[in-house]
């Protein structure tokens, strides 16, 4: 009897040979896929390497601190200073960002190319990680590539790439996604090397920007609701959670040593969150419809409505028509919300007189939207239709890349930067103020600066710094009394504003109001006791009022703070000469001459006889 049982035959594996490889197979193969991503980014952003620093916050973070940045001996100090390299309690703590700026400063100094090159490289690495993450989650490379390129080209991220202080968001995106990738690899393999890399990457993300504190929520949402290949036991997950909390605890401890005062609820908390709810739809809208982009945007009715419509379309398409597993929709949307909400909790101290939000904060949240899009594509069962979608997304990425290239020209220099702000948000008093500072310091266009400060105080009538700077402009144009009045107005609106009291003191002395000048110097030096030049100036006034003992104390204080300041020695020598103490007068003048004072050399020759005029 013949058996009905047929011998088992091994199924042939399909093998891709050079003859049957498609263009997609080449493009998605390593290392070509990563070379393509980096080439794409450099074609879009290569022109920014010739741009200039000096835009919003760049002078305060980079240009003012260039000597600090160029000295790697200060590396340790980075962890004990805030995002502006001061120890004066700024809200933000970004050591990894500032370390990266030190590297850039050694590359290009005050030239911008080093900073922008780093931004482009980080963006390239992040987009490569997004490609790798998507293939890790869904094991489909074509969709991962087109979406990584779409993300790379998004004009909504121009602000993140072409504005240097956005570095914290770029680093958090890069290190955070890297940490997530190695968390998945650890959970699937139980390889503790992956766990170590996961923790190091998480720490790097945290020290780049505080937002990264929310990543563990994603890690464990993923491990409990999505991951099906988990080899790590519940005890292993609890250990990982504990180690995550240890890393977060270290970060919070170090941050608490720098940021010590509570932040006002009007700047950070529920009130800003409620006023910034529109950021959710606006970020989605600008990702898909990148029109009316701005370096300092105001809320737009178009983007609010378009974003709500787009969120609705994505939800209906994902659930009703494509039947995307709900866990992926929830995961992607939680990712988006988790990293959008921290930006919503913050409001500029000047509120909407500055901007409503900043577009670089979209950088990390949009990775969650990309995850949703990826799994929507995977649910298209008709392969031909899916290929068409890939092609259209790729074309959209190219179109977006061209637009991003054109739009980034607005970041070429501070003037083009603020001109773009005025086109899109003319009610930004901060932008008018900042361009006024550029007109004073760099362009020497005092009338242009006056006009800018006039705009600023019209928008925000209690803008103290704008009044003070307008006063400085008036002083340059010879209107000392007008300048004095503006500085007094600034001091009235902001009694703790050092620069206002300092300028009132200087100008009061110029118009002969010495008693008022002394009073203002007292206030200014109480606000900024390390301002050594102020003690010298106050000492001169006291000298002019014949209060020699008090004048000497001020000159002594100036020298105590800075013993390399020649004017203090010169003036103290004048005081000693006035009270007939010629020996001490000559000693001080010789010190001043050694520090470069030509007036001191003349005085030595005139009054100090045969004494050597140089030390």
């Amino acid at each position: 009897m013949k058996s009905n049982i047929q011998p088992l035959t091994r199924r042939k594996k399909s093998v891709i040979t050079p003859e049957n490889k498609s263009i997609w197979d080449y493009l998605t193969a390593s290392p070509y896929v990563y070379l393509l991503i980096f080439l794409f980014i450099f074609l879009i952003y290569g022109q920014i390497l010739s741009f200039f620093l000096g835009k919003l916050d760049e002078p305060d973070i980079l240009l003012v601190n260039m000597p600090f940045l160029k000295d790697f001996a200060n590396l340790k100090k980075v962890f004990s200073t805030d995002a502006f390299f001061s120890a004066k309690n700024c809200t933000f703590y970004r050591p990894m960002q500032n370390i990266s700026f030190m590297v850039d400063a050694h590359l290009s100094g005050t030239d911008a190319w080093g900073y922008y090159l780093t931004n482009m490289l980080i963006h390239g690495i992040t987009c490569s990680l997004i490609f790798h993450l998507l293939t890790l989650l869904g094991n489909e490379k074509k969709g991962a590539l087109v979406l990584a390129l779409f993300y790379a080209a998004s004009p909504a991220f121009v602000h993140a790439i072409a504005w240097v202080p956005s570095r914290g968001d770029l680093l958090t995106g890069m290190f955070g996604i890297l940490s997530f990738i190695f968390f998945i690899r650890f959970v699937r393999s139980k390889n503790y090397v992956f766990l170590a890399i996961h923790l190091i990457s998480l720490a790097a993300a945290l020290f780049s920007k505080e937002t990264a504190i929310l990543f563990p929520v994603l890690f464990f949402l993923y491990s409990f609701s999505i991951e099906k290949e988990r080899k790590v036991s519940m005890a292993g997950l609890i250990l990982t959670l504990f180690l995550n909390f240890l890393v977060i605890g270290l970060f919070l401890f170090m941050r608490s040593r720098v940021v010590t005062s509570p932040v006002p609820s009007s700047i950070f908390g529920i009130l800003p969150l409620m006023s910034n709810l529109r950021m959710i739809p606006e970020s989605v809208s600008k990702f898909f419809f990148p029109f009316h982009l701005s370096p300092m945007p105001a809320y737009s009715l178009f983007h609010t409505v378009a974003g709500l419509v787009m969120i609705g379309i994505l939800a209906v398409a994902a659930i009703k028509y494509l039947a995307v597993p709900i866990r992926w929709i929830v995961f992607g949307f939680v990712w988006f919300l988790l990293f959008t909400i921290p930006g919503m909790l913050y409001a500029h101290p000047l509120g909407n007189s500055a901007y409503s939000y900043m577009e670089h904060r979209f950088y990390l949240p949009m990775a969650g939207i990309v995850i949703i899009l990826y799994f929507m594509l995977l649910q298209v069962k008709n392969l031909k239709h899916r290929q068409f979608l890939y092609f259209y997304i790729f074309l959209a990425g190219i179109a977006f890349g061209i637009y991003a290239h054109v739009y980034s020209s607005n970041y070429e220099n501070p003037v083009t930067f603020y001109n773009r702000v005025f086109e899109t948000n003319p009610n930004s008093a901060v932008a008018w103020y900042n361009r006024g500072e550029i007109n004073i310091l760099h362009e020497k266009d005092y009338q242009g600066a006056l006009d800018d400060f006039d705009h600023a105080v019209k928008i925000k009538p209690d803008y103290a710094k704008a009044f003070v700077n307008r006063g400085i402009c008036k002083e340059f144009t010879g209107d000392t009394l007008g300048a004095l009045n503006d500085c007094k107005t600034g001091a009235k609106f902001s009694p703790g504003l050092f620069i206002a009291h300092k300028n009132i003191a200087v100008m009061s002395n110029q118009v002969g109001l010495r008693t008022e000048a002394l009073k203002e110097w007292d206030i200014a030096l109480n606000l900024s006791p390390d301002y050594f030049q102020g003690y010298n100036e106050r000492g001169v006034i006291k000298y002019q009022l014949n209060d020699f003992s008090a004048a000497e104390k001020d000159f002594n204080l100036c020298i105590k703070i800075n013993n390399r300041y020649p004017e203090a020695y010169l003036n103290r020598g004048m005081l000693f000469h006035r009270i007939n103490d010629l020996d001490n007068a000559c000693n001080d003048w010789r010190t001043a001459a050694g520090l470069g004072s030509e007036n001191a050399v003349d005085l030595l020759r005139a009054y100090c006889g045969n004494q050597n005029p140089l030390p």
Side-chain angles (χ1 to χ4, degrees):
M1 183 175 174
K2 189 181 282 188
S3 172
N4 291 324
I5 300 175
Q6 300 295 321
L8 290 174
T9 58
R10 186 177 298 275
R11 184 181 177 185
K12 285 187 176 182
K13 291 183 179 179
S14 58
V15 178
I16 297 175
T17 63
E19 291 76 16
N20 62 15
K21 270 190 176 183
S22 70
I23 185 66
W24 287 110
D25 295 317
Y26 282 106
L27 290 179
T28 56
S30 179
Y32 305 114
V33 63
Y34 303 113
L35 292 174
L36 175 62
I37 289 171
F38 275 90
L39 176 62
F40 195 51
I41 288 170
F42 272 78
L43 286 173
I44 296 170
Y45 288 107
Q47 65 172 343
I48 73 174
L49 296 176
S50 64
F51 289 1
F52 299 89
L53 297 174
K55 300 175 283 292
L56 177 70
D57 288 343
E58 289 175 350
D60 297 328
I61 295 176
L62 303 173
L63 300 179
V64 170
N65 295 297
M66 197 56 62
F68 181 95
L69 290 169
K70 286 187 172 182
D71 186 357
F72 276 130
N74 294 319
L75 197 60
K76 189 176 179 180
K77 293 181 183 177
V78 168
F79 288 91
S80 59
T81 55
D82 60 35
F84 286 79
F85 296 98
S86 71
K88 296 183 179 178
N89 211 34
C90 165
T91 307
F92 308 119
Y93 180 62
R94 313 274 166 80
M96 285 298 295
Q97 170 179 283
N98 289 348
I99 289 172
S100 72
F101 289 156
M102 295 182 85
V103 175
D104 297 338
H106 280 78
L107 277 176
S108 64
T110 57
D111 293 333
W113 67 265
Y115 306 87
Y116 291 134
L117 177 63
T118 301
N119 277 9
M120 291 162 63
L121 290 173
I122 294 172
H123 186 44
I125 294 170
T126 302
C127 294
S128 300
L129 290 172
I130 286 174
F131 167 79
H132 185 73
L133 174 63
L134 293 177
T135 58
L136 202 60
L137 297 176
N139 197 30
E140 210 284 337
K141 291 184 176 182
K142 297 174 187 176
L145 175 58
V146 294
L147 286 173
L149 293 176
F150 185 84
Y151 185 91
S154 176
F157 300 152
V158 168
H159 190 71
I161 314 303
W163 182 62
V164 178
S166 65
R167 180 69 58 78
D169 289 78
L170 296 177
L171 288 171
T172 303
M174 179 179 71
F175 287 123
I177 294 171
L178 184 66
S179 182
F180 185 36
I181 287 170
F182 278 97
F183 175 81
I184 294 172
R185 290 196 171 279
F186 167 67
V187 166
R188 291 181 181 179
S189 68
K190 204 177 178 180
N191 185 329
Y192 283 90
V193 173
F194 293 156
L195 176 61
I197 299 173
H198 156 70
L199 294 171
I200 292 169
S201 302
L202 176 62
L206 282 165
F207 283 94
S208 298
K209 190 172 182 178
E210 297 87 344
T211 306
I213 200 169
L214 298 171
F215 266 110
V217 177
L218 276 184
F219 300 154
F220 291 94
L221 174 64
Y222 174 82
S223 64
F224 288 115
S225 66
I226 293 177
E227 182 57 65
K228 304 300 182 184
E229 304 175 34
R230 194 173 78 199
K231 292 186 178 179
V232 175
S233 65
M234 182 61 68
L237 285 176
I238 293 172
L239 172 64
T240 307
L241 180 63
F242 174 72
L243 293 174
N244 273 241
F245 283 147
L246 273 184
V247 172
I248 291 171
L250 172 65
F251 165 74
L252 291 176
F253 170 74
M254 296 187 68
R255 184 181 185 275
S256 69
R257 296 167 67 88
V258 177
V259 182
T260 56
S261 298
V263 182
S265 60
S266 60
I267 295 176
F268 185 84
I270 298 299
L271 292 177
L273 175 67
M274 298 305 295
S275 66
N276 283 325
L277 288 174
R278 291 175 67 179
M279 193 189 301
I280 293 173
E282 292 226 357
S283 62
V284 173
S285 176
K286 286 191 172 181
F287 186 60
F288 289 102
F289 313 113
F291 312 114
H292 204 66
L293 299 173
S294 174
M296 300 170 68
Y299 284 119
S300 156
L301 180 61
F302 168 80
H303 279 302
T304 300
V305 174
L308 289 171
V309 171
M310 194 66 204
I311 290 171
I313 291 172
L314 287 174
V316 171
I319 296 171
K320 185 173 181 180
Y321 296 105
L322 296 175
V324 179
I326 192 67
R327 66 181 185 273
W328 286 115
I329 300 173
V330 171
F331 181 77
F333 195 66
V334 167
W335 180 307
F336 166 71
L337 280 182
L338 273 180
F339 298 116
T340 300
I341 287 174
M344 296 167 59
L345 289 167
Y346 174 78
H348 192 279
L350 296 183
N352 290 333
S353 296
Y355 47 77
S356 298
Y357 56 87
M358 297 292 270
E359 289 167 357
H360 67 278
R361 296 174 190 159
F362 302 164
Y363 190 73
L364 182 55
M366 287 306 128
I369 301 298
V370 167
I371 289 172
I372 294 174
L373 292 175
Y374 179 65
F375 282 95
M376 288 176 68
L377 286 174
L378 293 188
Q379 294 305 307
V380 178
K381 303 303 181 185
N382 187 307
L383 292 180
K384 187 175 180 181
H385 290 169
R386 195 191 297 178
Q387 296 293 337
F388 275 123
L389 286 173
Y390 291 159
F391 180 69
Y392 289 133
I393 294 171
F394 181 69
L395 286 182
I398 292 176
F400 274 18
I402 293 170
Y403 181 61
H405 176 82
V406 173
Y407 174 68
S408 64
S409 63
N410 290 291
Y411 290 75
E412 182 175 0
N413 57 60
V415 173
T416 58
F417 179 91
Y418 290 114
N419 287 346
R420 177 61 182 177
V421 177
F422 301 142
E423 291 174 11
T424 54
N425 184 12
N427 291 320
S428 174
V430 171
W432 290 108
Y433 170 84
N434 285 349
R435 194 178 73 170
E437 282 197 323
I438 292 165
N439 280 328
I440 291 178
L441 299 175
H442 302 292
E443 305 297 324
K444 308 301 180 187
D445 178 5
Y446 302 118
Q447 187 56 53
L450 275 171
D451 292 341
D452 285 344
F453 294 131
D454 282 342
H455 273 97
V457 298
K458 283 177 184 175
I459 296 167
K460 187 168 179 57
D462 61 347
Y463 198 167
K465 287 184 177 180
F467 277 106
V468 172
N469 276 14
R470 190 173 74 174
I472 293 171
C473 284
K474 290 180 179 179
E475 172 67 12
F476 277 121
T477 58
D479 183 8
T480 301
L481 288 177
L484 186 56
N485 287 333
D486 269 353
C487 289
K488 286 181 177 180
T489 302
K492 180 180 74 173
F493 287 129
S494 181
L497 187 59
F498 163 77
I499 190 66
H501 294 287
K502 172 206 163 186
N503 286 341
I504 295 171
V506 170
M507 287 183 282
S508 294
N509 188 47
Q510 286 176 356
V511 297
L513 302 174
R514 289 174 180 165
T515 302
E516 183 174 341
L518 282 177
K519 176 185 173 184
E520 292 298 325
W521 272 125
D522 290 345
I523 297 171
L525 291 171
N526 185 54
L527 292 169
S528 184
D530 294 332
Y531 185 65
F532 60 88
Q533 297 99 319
Y535 295 104
N536 177 68
E537 295 295 327
R538 190 173 69 177
V540 168
I541 297 172
K542 290 176 179 177
Y543 171 86
Q544 293 168 340
L545 294 173
N546 296 323
D547 189 353
F548 300 135
S549 176
E552 184 181 352
K553 287 180 181 178
D554 272 344
F555 296 138
N556 290 341
L557 282 168
C558 177
I559 292 168
K560 182 179 179 181
I561 297 170
N562 184 359
N563 62 8
R564 304 289 298 170
Y565 187 57
E567 296 299 315
Y569 291 104
L570 177 71
N571 290 327
R572 192 173 67 176
M574 294 289 291
L575 185 151
F576 286 140
H577 179 264
R578 179 74 179 272
I579 61 176
N580 298 316
D581 186 352
L582 191 59
D583 287 341
N584 279 327
C586 291
N587 286 336
D588 272 352
W589 289 336
R590 289 171 64 232
T591 302
L595 293 171
S597 172
E598 294 182 3
N599 289 335
V601 173
D602 294 338
L603 288 168
L604 280 168
R605 287 172 176 157
Y607 295 103
C608 298
N610 293 325
Q611 294 192 46
N612 187 348
L614 295 176

